[in-house]
Amino acid sequence: SLLGKDKPKTYLMLFQNNMELRPTGGFIGSYALATFDGGRLIDIAVSDVYSADGQLKGYVEPPAPIRDYLGEAGWYLRDSNWDPDFPTSAGRAEWFLEKEINMRVDGVIGVDINLFKGLLDVFGPVHLSDFGQTVDSKNVYEKVQYEVESDFFPGSQRKSNFLTSLTRELMTKISQASAKEHVPIAKTILRNLEERHIQIFVHDTSFQKAISNLGFDGKVSIPACEGNCLADFVGVIDANLGVNKANYFLTRSQSLNVTFTAGTVRRDLAVTFENKANPQLGTKAKYKGYIRIMVPISTNADNIKVDGISYGFDVEDVHGRREI
């Protein structure tokens, strides 16, 4: 049914660039409409997100951080994945798609560059004759990035054409895979699902429930428990608002210390960012991050320090969780 057994199904694929990190995986620079009929992929077309965004009629108020720190006056498909809960952001992406190009879909699939890299590890280099380039798992990010930034202007088709060519080539490789490649392909897809490099949201409720039970829907789950217990959790959600690909150079580590006293659970969370970019890159090397800490809704934050200096912070309750 999902692959068009009873009737054709069309899905919105969001290509999220994880080198420009956003809450569900990365900046949506391109998207694809993939149509299945009778179990076969019959059409896939990749488009630049700015082509769709330029067709939005009317004004949509963006979340305050997008307005205040990214400097966007309006809200568009490219920034629709602001909620770390993928089903929520997928629903917003569908809404923008319908408003921008009058297109309804049967679900949304989010993927990032790690999936391309993993498949190229299985198949080896692929040659894109239209571009005269050979792409492999070691250079895929640089090749995609070059096409993204080379002669870029909003609405340019160069980036989408490159991704279309690469996607079609990999789809062909999968459909023609030899028996010995089946297991490596399956392992690659499974690993990307488990690590949330692939996230799935579909309108078929029975399938979506199965996907959710496996943890492949990218949902932010709020744990619960009954009796004399506390369902504790913490999550760090990062968004690159520097309009660059600085995450390519960035590493992040975290440590959490939890102590218990009468009636109180105290958490001390330390997050360390290390930027290994060459400063000579200028603004391309600077990391401008909007960081949210997700905690139980009963949690209070008493102090936030950056390099030992206390800073003010915002607190917002969203979908049963607290974001600091």
Side-chain angles (χ1 to χ4, degrees):
S1 178
L2 283 168
L3 300 181
K5 174 180 176 292
D6 305 310
K7 62 178 182 179
K9 295 287 181 73
T10 299
Y11 300 101
L12 169 63
M13 293 184 66
L14 301 175
F15 292 103
Q16 304 183 109
N17 191 333
N18 44 322
M19 298 302 107
E20 185 174 351
L21 201 60
R22 289 296 172 86
T24 67
F27 175 69
I28 303 169
S30 304
Y31 70 94
L33 295 172
T35 301
F36 295 86
D37 189 10
R40 294 170 54 248
L41 176 68
I42 63 170
D43 186 50
I44 183 167
V46 182
S47 300
D48 187 288
V49 73
Y50 288 94
S51 297
D53 287 347
Q55 300 178 59
L56 181 65
K57 298 177 177 63
Y59 171 75
V60 183
E61 177 75 19
I66 292 178
R67 181 193 64 221
D68 297 340
Y69 305 121
L70 186 58
E72 289 281 4
W75 203 6
Y76 300 92
L77 174 61
R78 61 182 180 266
D79 295 319
S80 61
N81 59 344
W82 189 248
D83 195 304
D85 182 76
F86 186 76
T88 299
S89 285
R92 291 203 177 111
E94 285 192 36
W95 186 88
F96 276 108
L97 188 76
E98 183 181 359
K99 293 294 182 288
E100 293 179 352
I101 64 170
N102 195 30
M103 181 72 186
R104 292 189 177 187
V105 292
D106 298 291
V108 182
I109 302 169
V111 301
D112 63 37
I113 295 173
N114 278 59
L115 175 61
F116 291 99
K117 186 177 184 300
L119 291 173
L120 288 166
D121 274 331
V122 175
F123 297 123
V126 298
H127 183 69
L128 306 181
S129 56
D130 290 346
F131 293 84
Q133 298 204 39
T134 298
V135 183
D136 59 33
S137 62
K138 294 183 175 62
N139 69 13
V140 60
Y141 168 72
E142 287 81 3
K143 294 289 187 184
V144 171
Q145 202 53 42
Y146 174 79
E147 297 301 330
V148 167
E149 297 183 345
S150 177
D151 300 323
F152 172 78
F153 59 89
S156 167
Q157 293 301 309
R158 182 178 178 87
K159 170 179 59 175
S160 56
N161 289 343
F162 183 83
L163 283 172
T164 298
S165 183
L166 179 58
T167 302
R168 284 188 182 279
E169 191 67 31
L170 288 173
M171 289 285 191
T172 301
K173 291 278 190 182
I174 291 173
S175 67
Q176 298 176 353
S178 63
K180 69 177 183 180
E181 290 174 322
H182 290 170
V183 170
I185 291 170
K187 285 184 175 180
T188 296
I189 293 173
L190 178 61
R191 184 178 69 250
N192 278 272
L193 284 163
E194 291 174 338
E195 296 177 358
R196 294 195 175 189
H197 299 299
I198 306 173
Q199 298 165 91
I200 302 172
F201 170 77
V202 294
H203 296 170
D204 184 314
T205 53
S206 60
F207 181 73
Q208 187 61 29
K209 182 178 180 181
I211 284 292
S212 181
N213 289 340
L214 291 166
F216 298 161
D217 60 346
K219 184 176 180 60
V220 174
S221 298
I222 306 299
C225 64
E226 296 180 1
N228 185 26
C229 63
L230 170 70
D232 196 14
F233 68 94
V234 63
V236 180
I237 305 301
D238 200 358
N240 179 345
L241 299 186
V243 196
N244 61 23
K245 305 300 181 286
N247 288 98
Y248 182 72
F249 309 105
L250 206 73
T251 57
R252 185 181 73 186
S253 58
Q254 302 165 193
S255 65
L256 178 67
N257 186 47
V258 184
T259 54
F260 299 88
T261 57
T264 302
V265 179
R266 177 176 179 84
R267 314 167 193 80
D268 292 286
L269 173 68
V271 184
T272 302
F273 295 89
E274 183 180 3
N275 188 343
K276 298 178 181 178
N278 187 331
Q280 293 182 349
L281 289 171
T283 56
K284 291 183 178 181
K286 292 184 178 180
Y287 191 64
K288 180 180 178 182
Y290 183 83
I291 296 105
R292 286 176 280 180
I293 312 298
M294 295 191 303
V295 289
I297 207 161
S298 59
T299 301
N300 294 313
D302 56 10
N303 196 6
I304 295 211
K305 293 182 178 181
V306 180
D307 288 339
I309 301 172
S310 294
Y311 279 79
F313 53 89
D314 299 322
V315 177
E316 183 179 10
D317 293 340
V318 183
H319 305 314
R321 65 181 186 264
R322 179 158 289 173
E323 295 183 349
I324 300 165

